Structure formats: structure tokens, C-alpha cells
């Protein structure tokens, strides 16, 4: 997974995810599911199928789906904003949470940094 550093103010506190914005610099607009975890999971190889153990799956806090219809096309980039949910999250330890993603279809992202995920949260 990818670390979301300082997702909570202090160890033992939580945060509530209220929305997600995806900036797709490669203009793919692929369906995507974001999975959130309370500790660093081993999710699988980047650009490969997910392969997660039972122990790592137990770290799951929830997921958010981004549909192809959630994207607006801004020319050479697509942006999606999904809101209208409430996902409370508390790290197992420390102040970081983790996110991993899957996509459907066969999008071709040239760099890992070509998909920007912005989490909109309210911290405890």
C-alpha cells in the first residue's frame, strides 16, 4: 500500500473520510477501487493482480469505488470527485493510514505518480 502520512492528529485518534478526488494525468478514466488499511498491507505487485493474505486483509478499513462516469475530461487529464459517504478510520498504531488501488480494464499509466489521490477527511 501507499502510506497516507499524518492521516490522524495523534496516535489513538481517528479520522473520517468524506470524499476522494482522483487526478488522472494519463487521461485514462478507468474504474478504480481504493482500499484503505490501518497498517501497511502487502497488496501485490504494482500493475499486477492483487494478492493479499488473510492477515493483511484483516487490516482493511473499507473501500471507495470510482466509476468511469465519475470523471470529468479536462482535455489531457481526467478528474473524478466522489463524496457522499462517511468512512471512519483509526490506524493500528501511529498516525498513518494506507491505501491501495485496483482498476478494471487495461489502463496504461506511464508513471506511478500519474494518478493523484486526494483524501478529504475530518480528523478527530
Amino acid at each position: 500500500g501507499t502510506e497516507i502520512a499524518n492521516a490522524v492528529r495523534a496516535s489513538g485518534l481517528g479520522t473520517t473520510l468524506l470524499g476522494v478526488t482522483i487526478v488522472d494525468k494519463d487521461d485514462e478514466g478507468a474504474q478504480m477501487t481504493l482500499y484503505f488499511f490501518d497498517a501497511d498491507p502487502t497488496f501485490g505487485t504494482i500493475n499486477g493482480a492483487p494478492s493479499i493474505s488473510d492477515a493483511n486483509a484483516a487490516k482493511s478499513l473499507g473501500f471507495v469505488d470510482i466509476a468511469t462516469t465519475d470523471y470529468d475530461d479536462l482535455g489531457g487529464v481526467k478528474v473524478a470527485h466522489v463524496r457522499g459517504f462517511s468512512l471512519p478510520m483509526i490506524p493500528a498504531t501511529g498516525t498513518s493510514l494506507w491505501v491501495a488501488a485496483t482498476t478494471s480494464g487495461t489502463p496504461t499509466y506511464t508513471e506511478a505518480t500519474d494518478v493523484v489521490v486526494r483524501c478529504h477527511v475530518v480528523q478527530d
Side-chain angles (χ1 to χ4, degrees), residues 5-116:
N6 302 311
V8 301
R9 293 180 202 265
S11 185
L13 296 179
T15 192
T16 302
L17 182 66
L18 300 175
V20 174
T21 298
I22 304 294
V23 179
D24 180 349
K25 296 177 187 178
D26 279 343
D27 204 29
E28 298 284 341
Q31 180 279 334
M32 184 178 297
T33 303
L34 300 175
Y35 298 90
F36 294 89
F37 298 90
D38 67 2
D40 191 6
T42 300
F43 196 75
T45 304
I46 293 175
N47 294 322
S51 177
I52 187 167
S53 70
D54 292 348
N56 279 306
K59 299 174 185 178
S60 178
L61 297 170
F63 62 90
V64 175
D65 284 319
I66 294 91
T68 58
T69 55
D70 290 328
Y71 289 92
D72 283 336
D73 193 344
L74 303 177
V77 65
K78 290 185 180 173
V79 177
H81 182 70
V82 179
R83 61 185 179 273
F85 58 87
S86 178
L87 178 58
M89 301 185 290
I90 299 173
T93 61
T95 60
S96 293
L97 294 168
W98 282 262
V99 63
T102 60
T103 60
S104 63
T106 55
T108 305
Y109 298 107
T110 53
E111 301 283 336
T113 57
D114 287 347
V115 177
V116 177

